[in-house]
Amino acid sequence: MSQSFKVNVNKSFDFDISETDSSHLNSVKLSNNNYHVLHDDSSYKAEIITEDFYKKSFEVKINNNTYNININNELDVLIKEMGFEIGSSKIVNNIKAPMPGLILEINVEIGQEVKENDTLLILEAMKMENVLSSPRAGIIKSVSVEKGDAVDKNQLLIEFEA
């Protein structure tokens, strides 16, 4: 079974290339990052300028024209369609109460800059103190509760600036 690749050039052009197509490419390695390529009776000088194997992105110069190329296999495409791109992170813009309880302490105020894992507030639920920490670095946009407030599950507590 031949594997296929989705190739994007300069974030503008998309191509589907099969493993068979790539194996028919006539290229000769001249040095570490330099190649001579023959395609449809035309000669090309290719140089790999930068490469990032983890992101599968390359900057390639072909006959003095530079191209930014991203290559994805079928698994990469499926992961992206599911919303789980490698290297991306989901931005959390608000903190909601994970359970009903009582606000014992609020450690932040509007406009305050916080780092990931800083303590935002303490919520008492079922006679236990639950420390709610910041999931990311950011600036506090709003604090929707006060010390002593009773809160319901999923009630908005703190909002971050986007």
Side-chain angles (χ1 to χ4, degrees):
M1 184 167 133
S2 178
Q3 188 173 16
S4 66
F5 302 93
K6 298 276 186 191
V7 179
N8 178 277
V9 179
N10 292 340
K11 296 184 179 178
S12 299
F13 304 101
D14 292 309
F15 302 96
D16 289 328
I17 298 175
S18 71
E19 200 169 24
T20 307
D21 294 336
S22 65
S23 68
H24 285 72
L25 187 63
N26 188 353
S27 66
V28 176
K29 186 173 186 172
L30 301 174
S31 66
N32 236 5
N33 291 332
N34 292 296
Y35 297 83
H36 182 262
V37 179
L38 287 174
H39 181 69
D40 291 337
D41 298 323
S42 295
S43 177
Y44 301 94
K45 177 184 170 191
E47 176 186 2
I48 299 173
I49 299 170
T50 61
E51 54 191 282
D52 185 339
F53 284 108
Y54 295 111
K55 292 183 179 177
K56 298 180 182 178
S57 66
F58 306 87
E59 184 177 3
V60 180
K61 184 186 278 187
I62 300 176
N63 290 350
N64 294 318
N65 293 316
T66 303
Y67 302 94
N68 293 307
I69 300 170
N70 291 331
I71 301 172
N72 293 303
N73 62 21
E74 292 165 347
L75 180 59
D76 297 324
V77 172
L78 180 61
I79 289 170
K80 185 174 182 177
E81 286 172 357
M82 293 174 67
F84 297 112
E85 291 186 72
I86 297 171
S88 68
S89 62
K90 186 174 181 180
I91 303 278
V92 176
N93 286 326
N94 54 47
I95 305 296
K96 294 183 179 180
M99 62 196 81
L102 182 70
I103 302 296
L104 293 182
E105 193 175 306
I106 299 174
N107 297 349
V108 294
E109 54 190 45
I110 296 171
Q112 181 177 337
E113 190 170 333
V114 295
K115 293 182 245 150
E116 187 174 351
N117 295 323
D118 282 356
T119 299
L120 300 175
L121 56 82
I122 297 176
L123 173 70
E124 180 186 49
M126 298 181 286
K127 299 184 183 183
M128 292 182 62
E129 292 185 5
N130 300 282
V131 176
L132 299 184
S133 300
S134 179
R136 67 177 180 98
I139 297 173
I140 303 298
K141 179 179 177 181
S142 70
V143 179
S144 303
V145 292
E146 293 180 11
K147 183 177 177 179
D149 284 356
V151 296
D152 294 321
K153 182 177 181 174
N154 291 324
Q155 181 178 332
L156 179 65
L157 305 175
I158 295 175
E159 235 180 328
F160 286 94
E161 289 185 5

